[in-house]
Amino acid sequence: MRCDDDEPVFKKSPWGTARYVYNPRHPVGLALIVMSVVVGGIVLLLMQLRAGPFAPPPDAVLPSWSSTTEPTDLAPWVPPVDTSPPTRIPTPAESDAPPSGGG
């Protein structure tokens, strides 16, 4: 891969979209690619180690996942009971409508 100062720093994406990507054939484009990878790796490392801007506040109490205390409520959630009287559907014999048909 040859670096050429006549190449543009950014070039159109090879997938035909309207986006631009770094051009690795230009020295500045290559430097931007390398710096992006290095900065991304450092950020991931800091996140994993919980250091730098990802460090918890000094007075924060971290949760203990190996807690020896049992939760007090182990019962599953029970839906509320409906206390309203049930609605009764009248049978055809109890209906006030006159019988249909017949003659």
Side-chain angles (χ1 to χ4, degrees):
M1 189 162 73
R2 232 173 111 200
C3 288
D4 186 11
D5 287 337
D6 293 335
E7 289 275 338
V9 176
F10 299 100
K11 64 179 183 176
K12 281 198 175 238
S13 174
W15 295 297
T17 61
R19 296 183 181 185
Y20 285 86
V21 295
Y22 298 137
N23 186 0
R25 294 183 184 208
H26 190 279
V28 175
L30 184 61
L32 288 172
I33 292 171
V34 170
M35 287 189 327
S36 298
V37 171
V38 169
V39 167
I42 290 172
V43 167
L44 289 174
L45 185 65
L46 288 174
M47 289 171 67
Q48 177 67 28
L49 298 176
R50 296 183 60 106
F54 305 104
D59 58 346
V61 177
L62 297 176
S64 172
W65 298 112
S66 61
S67 176
T68 58
T69 60
E70 293 286 327
T72 57
D73 185 16
L74 296 176
W77 180 78
V78 178
V81 178
D82 186 16
T83 58
S84 63
T87 56
R88 187 168 174 271
I89 301 173
T91 61
E94 298 173 347
S95 173
D96 294 333
S100 61

